[in-house]
Amino acid sequence: MTTYTQTPPTAEDTALKAKHAAMWALGDYGAVAREVIPELGHVLVDACAIGPGQHVLDVAAGTGNVAIPAAQAGAQVVACDLAPELLEVGRGLARAAGVSLDWRRADAEALPFDDASFDVVTSCVGVMFAPHHQPAADELVRVLRPGGRLGLVAWTPAGFIGQMFATMKPYAAPPPPGAQPPPLWGDESHTRELLGSRVEDVTTEKRSLTVHFDRPEHFRDFFKRTYGPTIVTYRGIADDPVKVAALDAALTELARGHMDATGRMGWEYLLLTARRTH
C-alpha cells in the first residue's frame, strides 16, 4: 500500500473549502437526506452490491445517506465529509440505527487515505459539489483498489435539481475561477471523461426519484430553510426585496412545472457504476 503525500493547499483553496463547509452546515441538510432523498443511499448500496467483509468509503457522505445502509449491510465503512456538523448528525443517526462506522472530516479533492485502500468507493449527490471536478475524480479512483467498485449518483443538468441551480444562478454570487457546475457530474460524457481509462465495466442509467410536496411553495420554503446552497443564495440578495421576490416566484414556478396534481415530482439523476482497471 502506498501512502499518498498531498500537495499543500493554496490559501485561496483553503478559504474556498472553508466557505463550502460553512454552506453545507447551514440549515438542516439532515432533513433533506431523511425526508427527501433517503432512497438514493439504498440505490448505491444495491448497485455496488455492498455486503459483509468489504471496506467502503463514502465520499461527501453528509449525514450518512449511503454510509449507514452500507454499514447495515455488513461492510466496514468510512464516511467522510468536508462539514463536521453533518458528520456529527450522522454519528447520532448511526448510533440510533445500531451500527458502527468511522466518520472522518476530509476534502473530496484531497482524501487523507492511502492508495488502493478501499473495495468500494461511493458518493451520493456529494462529490458533485466539489468545485474542481478532475481532482475529485482522481481521488475517487486513487483510493479504490484495482478491481474495486465505484458507485456515483449525481443530479443531471436537465433534471429538476439541475434546473433549480440554473434558476438560482442569476441571483447567486459568481463561482470562483476554475469552479465547475455541480450538475455536470450528471452528464454521462463529462463523468466518463473525468474517470477516463482508469475504470472499466462502466454502466450508466438515468433514473427518477419520486419526491412529494403538497404545494410548490412548500418545496421552495423547505429548501430555503434546509438546503445550504439555497440559503446562501438568498442571503446574498437579502437586502434586495425585489430580487428575493423574483427568486421566490422563479423557484415556485419551477416546482409547479414539475409537479403533478398530487404534488409528486420526478427528480432525474444519473447512476454510474464502474470498476477500477487492474
Side-chain angles (χ1 to χ4, degrees):
M1 183 181 297
T2 303
T3 300
Y4 185 71
T5 302
Q6 302 284 0
T7 302
T10 64
E12 292 81 3
D13 194 52
T14 298
L16 174 60
K17 300 303 173 60
K19 287 179 63 176
H20 270 237
M23 177 182 71
W24 289 109
L26 294 172
D28 185 2
Y29 185 76
V32 178
R34 182 178 64 251
E35 300 175 27
V36 183
I37 63 168
E39 173 188 322
L40 295 182
H42 297 278
V43 165
L44 272 181
V45 170
D46 292 343
C48 295
I50 293 173
Q54 293 179 323
H55 195 198
V56 176
L57 174 66
D58 187 31
V59 178
T63 57
N65 196 21
V66 178
I68 292 173
Q72 290 172 321
Q76 180 184 351
V77 181
V78 178
C80 68
D81 198 275
L82 196 60
E85 294 86 353
L86 300 188
L87 297 176
E88 191 58 35
V89 173
R91 288 187 183 96
L93 294 173
R95 284 193 296 269
V99 293
S100 177
L101 53 153
D102 185 8
W103 300 87
R104 299 277 298 276
R105 186 179 188 275
D107 178 356
E109 297 177 13
L111 294 172
F113 307 109
D114 290 338
D115 296 356
S117 53
F118 294 93
D119 301 308
V120 182
V121 174
T122 62
S123 189
C124 179
V125 297
V127 74
M128 64 181 290
F129 291 100
H132 309 112
H133 293 186
Q134 192 61 64
D138 293 347
E139 287 293 272
L140 294 176
V141 176
R142 180 184 65 80
V143 300
L144 184 61
R145 67 166 176 80
R149 175 73 71 180
L150 174 67
L152 303 173
V153 164
W155 303 119
T156 65
F160 179 79
I161 295 296
Q163 290 302 299
M164 183 189 77
F165 277 96
T167 299
M168 293 193 300
K169 183 177 180 180
Y171 303 92
Q180 294 173 279
L184 277 180
W185 278 87
D187 180 323
E188 178 184 344
S189 62
H190 177 73
T191 303
R192 281 180 177 268
E193 184 177 350
L194 291 175
L195 298 171
S197 61
R198 298 170 298 177
V199 298
E200 58 190 3
D201 298 333
V202 179
T203 65
T204 60
E205 181 184 357
K206 287 183 179 178
R207 295 187 179 184
S208 182
L209 175 70
T210 299
V211 175
H212 180 271
F213 287 93
D214 290 336
R215 298 171 57 205
E217 293 82 1
H218 291 171
F219 155 77
R220 180 199 67 203
D221 293 344
F222 180 82
F223 267 62
K224 285 177 68 172
R225 185 177 70 253
T226 63
Y227 196 60
T230 308
I231 295 169
V232 166
T233 300
Y234 271 98
R235 284 188 175 184
I237 59 173
D239 60 350
D240 190 333
V242 173
K243 286 186 177 179
V244 171
L247 182 52
D248 276 348
L251 288 176
T252 301
E253 287 309 304
L254 177 70
R256 182 173 288 114
H258 285 77
M259 188 176 287
D260 69 15
T262 69
R264 289 186 304 176
M265 292 188 282
W267 292 5
E268 185 181 75
Y269 64 91
L270 179 73
L271 171 64
L272 181 146
T273 62
R275 289 192 182 277
R276 181 176 173 179
T277 53
H278 291 274

